[in-house]
Amino acid sequence: MKKNFGIIILLLALITILLAQTDFEAWKTQQQQQIQQFKNDQDKQFAEFLESSWKAFKVFTGEKQDETPKPQEVPKVELKKPKELPQKNKIKDLKLPPLPQVEAVEEILALPELESGREIELDFFRKKFILKYNDELEIDLTKPINNKKIAEYWKKMSNKEYEPILKQIKFFSEQTGVNDWGFTLLLYEAGELLYQDENLATLFTWFMLTQAGYNSKVGYNENSIKLLLASDHVFYGKPYLMVDKQRFYAVSLQTKESKQKDLYTYEGNHAEAKEVMSLFLHAAPNFSDNLNEKVVEFSYKDKNYQIKLYYNPENIRYYDLYPETNLEIYFTSPMKKKVEYQLLQQLGKLVEGKSEAEAANMLLRFVQTGFKYETDNQQFGREKAFFPEEVIYYPACDCEDRSVFYSYLIKKILSLEVIGLDYPGHVATAVNFSEKIAGDSISYKGKQYVVCDPTYINADLGMAMPEFKNIKPKIIEIN
């Protein structure tokens, strides 16, 4: 009898659990339906808003970077005898990054499966993806372009099954490790393949960015539509307009640039689109594992060294399309793991066993003499700051590029605090050492940083360029 009673209790418990699960699933379905209905209502309200709330906005000329002329030729220190440096705090047991795992090359990915539809191959810096989409996303846009046509595009897209394609592109961006900017490029490339039309590709990018929660807009003039990205970072040289005290940069996602005129756009925004575009790189792009080699030679204390450096061609192409922006973004950007490993392993072996100061001085000479100096105008005819990996690739680099590269080495190999020194027409670095080092230094937030100038050829630690000794620089914090 007791056994039967136990079975009855167990059955009742199972029935209770099943009923609870059924109730939960019903509740979950109801919640999802309510969320979707709420989203549909927001999209509908936004479409109605787009039909009427447009006006002309003045487009401002893009900000220019420091226009103080950089030296065409950098000064050199005449080598006499080496500076006496502290020989304490020997470098040992370096905590260098481990050998990274081999990355998949040109892997073809697809997510998610759709019951019906078409496929297009998306080649994003030689990383290939299969993108599945429904035919209903193929929307036409007749001219002339105006806010009614843009509102019509929004209305049609918001009533179609766009979530799967957005989910796929988000997945692709995660696979390649790109940031907000890379995600935007991915959307635009997908839009170009879908529509074969620049205006429609721009509208597609704007629609998807908005649905992904980004504060973006479009503007139009004549028969051209421009993507407007909200960001708290500067897009140097890019025209912008101000809406509700927020800068929106008019960006071209193609290589060609056109002269910007005033634009018609709207003041409000989609209720769920609040995130501004960040240009920080939290990881280097993961496009492929293919590396090219470059040999760099330098000498230190009458001894010659040869270092084999590597770079990823696809990363270089990606960085070339990156907006010119705040220097701190370059100073805090990572390298591709395999590129970093090859670089740090070789330099780490050279400095291991040396004192902290001696190691920093040797790395300084490596950057000073291993790379040719040219200004951006000499090399490109325009300003272009380098990400660390670009210093390895290009035939020459200037002061901010060398400073970005040197600060990277100091952080990664010696684990010392370093700051950027932004002078008019020049950029250098300063390092906080464990012991006092004679020479030029900067006091910042209660710490003493010794000037280390990677552009001042053959200069040792604590030697600032003569023309900048008495000039107070802007400090660039490097985390």
Side-chain angles (χ1 to χ4, degrees), residues 147-242:
N147 61 303
K148 301 289 186 185
K149 299 290 178 60
I150 295 172
E152 181 184 346
Y153 177 87
W154 176 276
K155 190 180 297 183
K156 286 181 178 179
M157 279 293 288
S158 59
N159 287 323
K160 297 184 184 298
E161 192 181 3
Y162 65 84
E163 287 90 350
I165 198 169
L166 179 57
K167 185 177 180 181
Q168 289 175 87
I169 295 173
K170 282 182 177 179
F171 176 69
F172 298 162
S173 69
E174 291 169 3
Q175 292 297 301
T176 52
V178 294
N179 62 351
D180 293 351
W181 175 252
F183 178 56
T184 304
L185 291 181
L186 258 170
L187 287 171
Y188 185 80
E189 189 163 325
E192 277 196 311
L193 289 172
L194 282 171
Y195 297 115
Q196 308 294 316
D197 178 89
E198 184 178 351
N199 283 334
L200 279 168
T202 301
L203 286 176
F204 175 83
T205 306
W206 159 69
F207 177 86
M208 291 297 186
L209 280 174
T210 304
Q211 296 294 353
Y214 288 92
N215 187 2
S216 64
K217 298 179 183 292
V218 284
Y220 71 91
N221 53 36
E222 299 172 351
N223 285 318
S224 178
I225 297 175
K226 301 295 180 183
L227 181 64
L228 302 171
L229 300 177
S231 181
D232 296 330
H233 294 139
V234 178
F235 287 51
Y236 284 114
K238 300 295 183 184
Y240 66 92
L241 50 83
M242 299 291 296

Side-chain angles (χ1 to χ4, degrees), residues 202-457:
T202 301
L203 286 176
F204 175 83
T205 306
W206 159 69
F207 177 86
M208 291 297 186
L209 280 174
T210 304
Q211 296 294 353
Y214 288 92
N215 187 2
S216 64
K217 298 179 183 292
V218 284
Y220 71 91
N221 53 36
E222 299 172 351
N223 285 318
S224 178
I225 297 175
K226 301 295 180 183
L227 181 64
L228 302 171
L229 300 177
S231 181
D232 296 330
H233 294 139
V234 178
F235 287 51
Y236 284 114
K238 300 295 183 184
Y240 66 92
L241 50 83
M242 299 291 296
V243 183
D244 296 329
K245 299 181 180 180
Q246 174 68 61
R247 282 193 182 193
F248 285 81
Y249 290 92
V251 299
S252 173
L253 298 176
Q254 295 183 330
T255 53
K256 64 179 182 180
E257 291 282 357
S258 58
K259 187 175 180 181
Q260 193 63 55
K261 302 176 182 177
D262 289 351
L263 292 170
Y264 285 92
T265 191
Y266 50 92
E267 284 187 299
N269 200 37
H270 193 282
E272 297 301 308
K274 299 175 182 178
E275 188 174 346
V276 297
M277 184 78 39
S278 172
L279 293 179
F280 277 114
L281 276 79
H282 302 292
N286 174 27
F287 296 132
S288 77
D289 204 42
N290 295 328
L291 300 181
N292 288 356
E293 180 184 303
K294 178 178 180 178
V295 176
V296 173
E297 298 177 348
F298 76 105
S299 61
Y300 184 67
K301 290 190 173 180
D302 298 323
K303 187 174 180 180
N304 297 324
Y305 299 90
Q306 189 177 81
I307 304 292
K308 284 185 180 180
L309 303 182
Y310 298 86
Y311 61 88
N312 181 271
E314 300 311 313
N315 284 33
I316 300 301
R317 283 207 304 129
Y318 176 72
Y319 294 140
D320 193 47
L321 294 176
Y322 214 82
E324 290 297 311
T325 186
N326 312 70
L327 278 177
E328 55 263 34
I329 288 175
Y330 302 93
F331 271 103
T332 56
S333 293
M335 276 189 181
K336 184 177 177 66
K337 294 296 183 184
K338 196 170 179 180
V339 170
E340 178 186 76
Y341 176 82
Q342 297 287 355
L343 171 68
L344 300 186
Q345 284 293 326
Q346 294 179 79
L347 292 176
K349 289 177 183 177
L350 293 185
V351 302
E352 193 160 20
K354 300 184 184 298
S355 71
E356 186 181 88
E358 195 73 55
N361 209 43
M362 188 177 192
L363 294 175
L364 187 62
R365 195 74 78 248
F366 164 65
V367 181
Q368 288 170 344
T369 62
F371 301 90
K372 181 183 176 183
Y373 175 86
E374 276 188 6
T375 66
D376 291 331
N377 280 329
Q378 287 172 322
Q379 188 169 192
F380 303 107
R382 60 182 174 88
E383 280 299 311
K384 175 177 169 53
F386 285 173
F387 290 97
E389 192 173 339
E390 291 182 287
V391 174
I392 300 171
Y393 168 73
Y394 285 104
C397 51
D398 67 4
C399 57
E400 71 262 17
D401 311 322
R402 291 161 173 258
S403 296
V404 165
F405 194 62
Y406 181 68
S407 70
Y408 191 91
L409 300 179
I410 290 296
K411 288 185 298 176
K412 292 291 184 177
I413 298 176
L414 304 183
S415 300
L416 296 175
E417 291 183 32
V418 58
I419 55 175
L421 307 178
D422 189 2
Y423 299 98
H426 184 59
V427 178
T429 62
V431 179
N432 176 238
F433 291 97
S434 301
E435 55 194 319
K436 186 175 180 179
I437 295 176
D440 300 309
S441 63
I442 299 285
S443 180
Y444 182 66
K445 290 188 175 180
K447 295 180 181 180
Q448 206 67 19
Y449 291 81
V450 178
V451 173
C452 302
D453 195 328
T455 307
Y456 192 11
I457 309 300

